[in-house]
Amino acid sequence: EWYRYNRARYYRTAVRRSVATARHVIADSQATADDLRRYLRVADERITVAPLGVEERLRPADEEAVAAARARYGLPERFILYVGTLEPRKNLVRLVEAYGRVADRCGCDLVLAGREGWKTGPIHGAIQANPAAGRIHLPGFIEQEHLAAVLTAAHAFAWPSLYEGFGLPPLEAMACGTPVLTSDVSSLPEVVGDAALLANPYDVEAIAHGLETIATDGAVRAGLKARGHIQAQRFSWRRTAEIVAGVYRQVLER
């Protein structure tokens, strides 16, 4: 239900064949490693976890860059941000519904930034039916060179995805000093640690409560910002490269 039929068929065949013939498998999270064991019966000794990293340029942007990003993408003054493809797996219908319940209390607009994916009809339908539809913005794809400024401009970052193999955007938001609300499923809890608010992505009321809290509770926001900065620093591409290189050395030495 989360992928087009041809893409799902490809994954079922190509990934299974690739994993079966590989001498070693690198997973980008413990959750993915667990899925490899559960669904493809890969033995523990054939798996190494190599977490992804946050680009060094993703840091809090200066006021000039933030102002330029606001003008370029038509961003409101105070907003909760989602960045990613617009598709079913990202759970945007529930996010929109949750936002509608607390829009007046949280004092923020909602910005859904990203390319149109597939099955976007329900997303647009949820926006049109929302009582706060006029405060929901779709600026489209954010160019990489503007991402740090857009993340810095956001009052909060919401990522209620139904499944992620890793889930890099919440870490990128943390690196830019923006407090994060994300899901309590798949890899996301291990990636964000105690540095984000977690919510059941299938529970609209839980998402709504998280949105209101992260938008209005100053103490919670301050704690998330401080812990988020530390958490994001734990994930670097240098560390990823070192783990991957170590796996290659082990395989070549066998």
Side-chain angles (χ1 to χ4, degrees), residues 101-186:
R101 297 185 184 187
V102 298
D104 291 339
R105 298 197 297 273
C106 76
C108 293
D109 285 14
L110 177 64
V111 173
L112 306 178
R115 288 193 178 98
E116 294 267 338
W118 70 299
K119 288 190 176 181
T120 58
I123 299 171
H124 292 291
I127 294 172
Q128 292 168 6
N130 198 285
R135 297 171 59 190
I136 302 175
H137 310 264
L138 299 167
F141 180 72
I142 305 297
E143 298 292 340
Q144 190 65 25
E145 61 265 32
H146 306 136
L147 182 57
V150 172
L151 289 169
T152 303
H155 187 65
F157 185 83
W159 183 266
S161 179
L162 296 170
Y163 181 89
E164 293 294 329
F166 183 81
L168 193 54
L171 281 180
E172 294 176 335
M174 290 177 185
C176 293
T178 303
V180 170
L181 167 69
T182 192
S183 302
D184 63 358
V185 299
S186 64

Side-chain angles (χ1 to χ4, degrees), residues 11-194:
Y11 280 139
R12 288 191 188 101
T13 56
V15 173
R16 187 178 299 276
R17 186 185 309 118
S18 179
V19 167
T21 58
R23 295 172 65 182
H24 203 85
V25 181
I26 299 172
D28 58 6
S29 68
Q30 189 60 53
T32 295
D34 292 342
D35 286 344
L36 285 165
R37 297 184 189 96
R38 182 180 302 114
Y39 298 113
L40 299 180
R41 301 293 187 265
V42 183
D44 287 353
E45 61 269 19
R46 291 183 58 223
I47 305 173
T48 295
V49 175
L52 305 184
V54 178
E55 291 188 45
E56 292 184 1
R57 64 177 171 175
L58 287 173
R59 297 290 182 269
D62 59 37
E63 292 183 4
E64 184 178 351
V66 169
R70 286 189 190 278
R72 181 182 180 91
Y73 295 104
L75 301 175
E77 183 61 30
R78 182 179 162 108
F79 62 95
I80 297 169
L81 175 67
Y82 161 86
V83 174
T85 304
L86 308 186
E87 60 176 339
R89 181 167 56 90
K90 301 304 184 180
N91 202 28
L92 298 180
V93 170
R94 289 190 183 91
L95 175 59
V96 168
E97 292 175 355
Y99 171 72
R101 297 185 184 187
V102 298
D104 291 339
R105 298 197 297 273
C106 76
C108 293
D109 285 14
L110 177 64
V111 173
L112 306 178
R115 288 193 178 98
E116 294 267 338
W118 70 299
K119 288 190 176 181
T120 58
I123 299 171
H124 292 291
I127 294 172
Q128 292 168 6
N130 198 285
R135 297 171 59 190
I136 302 175
H137 310 264
L138 299 167
F141 180 72
I142 305 297
E143 298 292 340
Q144 190 65 25
E145 61 265 32
H146 306 136
L147 182 57
V150 172
L151 289 169
T152 303
H155 187 65
F157 185 83
W159 183 266
S161 179
L162 296 170
Y163 181 89
E164 293 294 329
F166 183 81
L168 193 54
L171 281 180
E172 294 176 335
M174 290 177 185
C176 293
T178 303
V180 170
L181 167 69
T182 192
S183 302
D184 63 358
V185 299
S186 64
S187 63
L188 291 165
E190 73 178 272
V191 170
V192 301
D194 67 349

